[in-house]
């Protein structure tokens, strides 16, 4: 339980979006999401590597990798 990351995106022609969580310097990848595909208004990210819970109270950077997709927004919200 805790905050999760959500995105609003539209993957065109088999495109999609992934998110990498980086250390504050942007040098190391601490977590990586599973790809988000299709037209997604409120996609809760699933994590292939690492997760947000293990990074609580740490400074991070996010890298959004968009391929053949439109990326509209992201947000964090508590999930119970």
């Amino acid at each position: 339980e805790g905050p999760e990351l959500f995105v609003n995106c539209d993957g065109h022609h088999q495109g999609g979006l992934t998110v990498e969580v980086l250390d504050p310097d942007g040098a190391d990848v601490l977590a990586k999401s599973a790809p988000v595909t299709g037209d997604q208004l409120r996609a809760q990210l699933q994590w292939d590597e690492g997760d947000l819970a293990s990074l609580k109270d740490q400074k991070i950077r996010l890298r959004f990798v968009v391929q053949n997709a439109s990326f509209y927004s992201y947000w964090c919200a508590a999930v119970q």
Side-chain angles (χ1 to χ4, degrees):
E1 293 184 20
E4 293 292 336
L5 190 61
F6 293 81
V7 294
N8 175 353
C9 66
D10 186 3
H12 310 287
H13 309 292
Q14 306 207 343
L17 172 139
T18 57
V19 179
E20 296 174 342
V21 181
L22 309 171
D23 67 4
D25 296 325
D28 295 321
V29 177
L30 306 174
K32 185 175 181 180
S33 76
V36 178
T37 59
D39 188 6
Q40 303 289 332
L41 293 176
R42 294 176 203 86
Q44 180 179 343
L45 293 179
Q46 303 300 312
W47 300 98
D48 280 346
E49 301 172 24
D51 60 27
L52 289 183
S54 65
L55 303 170
K56 185 177 179 181
D57 298 325
Q58 294 184 39
K59 292 183 181 183
I60 60 168
R61 289 184 183 205
L62 298 175
R63 177 187 297 150
F64 296 90
V65 181
V66 182
Q67 296 179 324
N68 294 328
S70 296
F71 176 42
Y72 301 109
S73 62
Y74 73 95
W75 65 97
C76 288
V79 175
Q80 298 180 2

